[in-house]
Amino acid sequence: MTIEFVDLKRQFRPLQEEIMSRIEKVLGTMNLFLGENVYRLEEEFAAYCGVPHAIGVGSGTDALHLALRAVGVGPGDEVITVANTFFATVEAIALCGARPVFVDIDPASYTMDPSRVEVAITPRTKAILPVHLYGQPADMDPIVDISRKHGLAVVEDACQAHGAEYKGAKTGSLGDVAAFSFYYSKNLGAYGEGGMVVTKDREIATSVQMLRNHGGKERYHHAVMGVNARLDEIQAVALRVKLPHLDSWNASRRTWAEEYSRRLAGLEDVVTPVAQPYAKHVYHLYVIRAPDRDDLQKWLKRHDVSTGIHYPVPVHLQEACADLGYSPGSLPETEAAAREILSLPMFPELTVDEVAYVCQTIIGYARGRKGRRPRRSRSSAVREVVTR
Ligand SMILES: Cc1ncc(COP(=O)(O)O)c(C=O)c1O
């Protein structure tokens, strides 16, 4: 059995006719930017998140960048975030001319440890940027409390958490403003790039509307320095077809996560993910932890199971961040996780036989390993997947 990490073709087939006919209609009008589909998607996605405003943008990176700018982050400011995330979280801070300040994660959830935030605040701190990683919201109440106490903005990175909930409220409604990605492998994915900023705050919304479109509301009139970061109509029409399916797709992800966790329970040296009591986890990724992760990944590959590592090098140790002054040991929980995490195949259209096969393969590895001397792999794990 061959199991892809994410098989997007299975989701496309049943929707193909509807998506293609709607795309043809859009092409028939040649109204390709900021048209009916973008505006309708904005309304539909805002309603889905439980907030009044949503602004379609070119990518999750654009969404983060423009959300940060809209809350006033600029050169010389500091933004507190985590290093266990996709690089774009931090790129967005740097694009504003601001400096990322990293705090360690809670190893139980892999998200920002709120108990470490307050000591990281300086007079330059402007915002806190928690990441709802792998589909699980960060522990938002203490983060929001700290932000209110210190007059800071909270920008949610919800790029991996469409439809996830914190104490019954949807991601996107938990801070001052939030960023979503519609990169094609996300829980709600376009057929290319796309993103959305969502917010309860009208001023922030108006600011992002201008920033995404060269800094102006009216053609050839530019109030501020903006960027070209518009969501296009073709992506928007596809996303409008997909949005009504998001909850049932998330429900399937949760079913497969439960199935994995049940089958892998009790396995020595394999730690399965734990949904926190406050969270409705939507399993963008199903991430286990194993001390000999690289060997396990090779074993799975030999048995035709594709896996991923999200992420092998924490952001604070990336070459591009060398001048920020962090070094190995700066964020022990983040670094330990990066050495041991492994993402198993996860997408709504998996089958029970496929999940069973992945689990049997892992169980087979664990049994065999007891009789072998542990091998340290010489090369780092190969990233085989197209996810971000
Ligand atoms: C946590 C996180 N933040 C930001 C991004 C950036 O989104 P995009 O790839 O759409 O620019 C991604 C993924 O793509 C992500 O996973």
Side-chain angles (χ1 to χ4, degrees), residues 59-61 64 85-86 88-89 131 157 159-160 181 186 194 311 388:
S59 67
T61 310
L64 282 166
T85 183
F86 181 58
T89 309
V131 181
D157 183 338
C159 288
Q160 299 191 3
S181 165
K186 300 301 189 202
Y311 298 89
R388 283 184 184 158

Side-chain angles (χ1 to χ4, degrees), residues 254-275:
R254 286 161 57 80
T255 301
W256 300 134
E258 272 169 31
E259 189 71 25
Y260 271 131
S261 293
R262 192 178 62 74
R263 289 174 181 266
L264 297 174
L267 210 57
E268 212 186 313
D269 286 345
V270 171
V271 179
T272 54
V274 181

Side-chain angles (χ1 to χ4, degrees), residues 80 103 113-122 145-146 149-150:
I80 296 172
V103 294
D113 180 346
S115 72
R116 298 177 192 269
V117 173
E118 209 155 13
V119 293
I121 295 174
T122 75
D145 285 350
I146 293 165
K149 187 170 152 198
H150 294 270

Side-chain angles (χ1 to χ4, degrees), residues 58-64 84-91 131-134 157-160 179-186 192-195 284 311 387-388:
S59 67
T61 310
D62 286 339
L64 282 166
N84 182 33
T85 183
F86 181 58
F87 190 64
T89 309
V90 173
E91 239 171 0
V131 181
H132 305 317
L133 199 72
Y134 307 149
D157 183 338
C159 288
Q160 299 191 3
F180 287 88
S181 165
F182 299 134
Y183 179 67
Y184 73 153
S185 65
K186 300 301 189 202
E193 306 279 356
H284 172 57
Y311 298 89
T387 52
R388 283 184 184 158

Side-chain angles (χ1 to χ4, degrees), residues 45-77:
F45 197 67
Y48 181 81
C49 294
V51 295
H53 309 287
I55 306 99
V57 294
S59 67
T61 310
D62 286 339
L64 282 166
H65 171 208
L66 301 190
L68 286 163
R69 281 192 57 190
V71 297
V73 173
D77 292 333

